[in-house]
Amino acid sequence: MGYDYGATHEKILQSAKKFFLKKGYQGTNLREICRGADVTNGAFYRHFDSKEDLFKALVAPCVDGLMEMYDASNEACHKDITKDSILECIEIDNDSIITLINYIYDNFESFKLLLLCSGGTSYSNIVEDLVDLEVRRTLGFFHELKELGVELEIPGERSIHILSHYYLESIFQCVLHNYRLEDTLEEVTTLVDFFNAGWRKILGVQ
């Protein structure tokens, strides 16, 4: 029987996922990944350049999908922005966060790898990277509202960074604590109401 590249590739991915989830990226070595996949070290390098390249193969599709969702949401928000729809523009939408949560659960192991097992990789600061992106876009959005004549009390960049960090960490609690999807969805309304009320207060918008 000939060499099945696709099957071997998948075996390496599954072996790596098992060990990364159990021991983290830094605690896992290539030898045990190869043993788990029943391949030699030499065969491994026919599929991946390095251990980090292998980790990236496991999480990059998830991150790319998350960025696509974020870009689409951001584009829709800017497209619909008007002075008369200020509350709709600044508030978190229930449907949007439910879509995000469902995406997280559809890619739950990938998010566990990113949030709990990525130390030593280029993804080790994934939450801070997302927060920085959120801060830049939020500040740009607020200033765009100002240009439309909307009266806002825009907080400083540090405050927005802290609030954005709290928001993302709140969402990612479901991964960090292995909450069931149905339990997480039950908390959506509370989370949305809390942050929306807070933003309205901070921005001076009623």
Side-chain angles (χ1 to χ4, degrees):
M1 184 175 180
Y3 181 74
D4 190 330
Y5 183 93
T8 301
H9 194 86
E10 185 61 26
K11 284 170 60 178
I12 295 172
L13 286 171
Q14 293 305 315
S15 177
K17 182 191 295 185
K18 180 183 74 173
F19 283 108
F20 288 151
L21 286 171
K22 181 179 180 180
K23 304 173 68 173
Y25 174 82
Q26 292 178 310
T28 300
N29 62 61
L30 281 180
R31 290 189 302 277
E32 57 194 348
I33 292 174
C34 290
R35 284 198 301 270
D38 195 27
V39 299
T40 65
N41 283 23
F44 170 87
Y45 288 107
R46 295 172 64 180
H47 295 264
F48 302 99
D49 294 332
S50 63
K51 186 173 74 166
E52 180 155 8
D53 183 44
L54 173 55
F55 188 88
K56 181 178 180 180
L58 287 167
V59 301
C62 173
V63 174
D64 291 345
L66 183 63
M67 290 299 99
E68 288 175 7
M69 290 177 60
Y70 197 96
D71 288 342
S73 176
N74 188 65
E75 182 179 347
C77 189
H78 283 272
K79 179 181 179 181
D80 297 336
I81 185 173
T82 66
K83 185 176 180 179
D84 295 329
S85 62
I86 174 60
L87 284 177
E88 294 179 14
C89 291
I90 67 171
E91 288 189 339
I92 302 167
D93 178 64
N94 255 324
D95 291 340
S96 296
I97 196 169
I98 288 173
T99 297
L100 173 58
I101 288 170
N102 281 320
Y103 181 78
I104 290 172
Y105 277 86
D106 286 342
N107 299 273
F108 203 77
E109 288 186 332
S110 293
F111 276 96
K112 287 187 78 70
L113 288 170
L114 287 165
L115 297 173
L116 296 171
C117 310
S118 62
T121 76
S122 59
Y123 294 94
S124 60
N125 293 315
I126 183 65
V127 174
E128 283 300 321
D129 292 342
L130 291 172
V131 169
D132 288 342
L133 176 62
E134 180 73 16
V135 170
R136 291 195 303 272
R137 293 188 173 183
T138 299
L139 280 171
F141 179 62
F142 287 162
H143 287 296
E144 187 175 346
L145 289 173
K146 277 276 194 179
E147 291 176 1
L148 288 173
V150 177
E151 293 298 324
L152 295 175
E153 299 172 13
I154 301 177
E157 182 173 340
R158 182 171 56 190
S159 294
I160 295 176
H161 183 278
I162 292 171
L163 293 170
S164 297
H165 200 286
Y166 286 158
Y167 174 65
L168 287 173
E169 285 284 3
S170 297
I171 293 173
F172 290 145
Q173 287 301 301
C174 62
V175 178
L176 301 178
H177 295 286
N178 286 309
Y179 293 153
R180 297 182 306 165
L181 173 58
E182 52 267 38
D183 293 333
T184 299
L185 291 175
E186 283 184 6
E187 303 300 329
V188 166
T189 300
T190 300
L191 182 65
V192 169
D193 288 347
F194 178 83
F195 279 99
N196 282 343
W199 276 117
R200 287 196 297 269
K201 175 68 175 178
I202 291 168
L203 295 170
V205 175
Q206 299 299 329

